[in-house]
Amino acid sequence: RQVEQLVTRYEDMLGELTPAQLRAIELSVASMQSERAHRMAYWRRWQGELFALLERRRMAPDCFAAEFTRMALDRARWYTPELRAIRAHNGRQQRDLMVTLLTGMTPAQRQHFAKRADDWARLFADLSRKRTDVVAQAQPAPDQNACRDTAMAAHRGVPSRT
């Protein structure tokens, strides 16, 4: 299943893959380690922090969005050491596969890839313009130190200073 997903993804990016490229994908997938068992420990840790944040939001509603955003963007903070090592190993495998595929592109694949890269560039430019518009309209974020102090006080059961 993982091989099929990668083949679909890379064919979207490069066009039809060669037999050598298909074999490189198969070998790469075979050398990757499963994250499944370690993901559950990570998920429990992250979920526990989310539940604690939901409890604290009554004490500091202005901080909720900032803290939730931080949690969503820094999910690796709750990885176990084992999951961190597996993800690093798998990341190296994926980077090596990408190098193998890109350096072995056929002329037709180079053309296909160039068109896709142009599409991505336009998409990112559009997203960047939209983000600039949203940021210009946004309200200032709450003071991060105040949010952290409130969160820590709530965790210890101490009344908030805010």
Side-chain angles (χ1 to χ4, degrees), residues 88-139:
H89 168 80
N90 290 348
R92 284 188 301 274
Q93 294 299 316
Q94 291 170 350
R95 284 187 296 280
D96 290 349
L97 174 61
M98 179 65 87
V99 168
T100 298
L101 295 177
L102 291 178
T103 57
M105 286 191 295
T106 66
Q109 287 174 335
R110 288 183 206 287
Q111 216 171 15
H112 184 91
F113 181 74
K115 182 187 177 320
R116 293 295 291 148
D118 285 344
D119 293 345
W120 294 326
R122 276 192 293 282
L123 175 68
F124 286 128
D126 289 347
L127 288 172
S128 177
R129 278 192 295 280
K130 288 177 185 175
R131 175 162 168 55
T132 302
D133 293 345
V134 169
V135 169
Q137 297 171 9
Q139 305 253 340

Side-chain angles (χ1 to χ4, degrees), residues 59 150 152-161:
M59 292 181 67
T150 301
M152 293 179 89
H155 184 69
R156 291 189 308 264
V158 176
S160 171
R161 293 183 295 178

Side-chain angles (χ1 to χ4, degrees), residues 51-62 64 150 154 160:
F51 289 147
L53 176 62
L54 290 170
E55 286 296 316
R56 291 191 308 264
R57 90 173 151 183
R58 280 177 264 142
M59 292 181 67
D62 293 344
F64 178 78
T150 301
S160 171

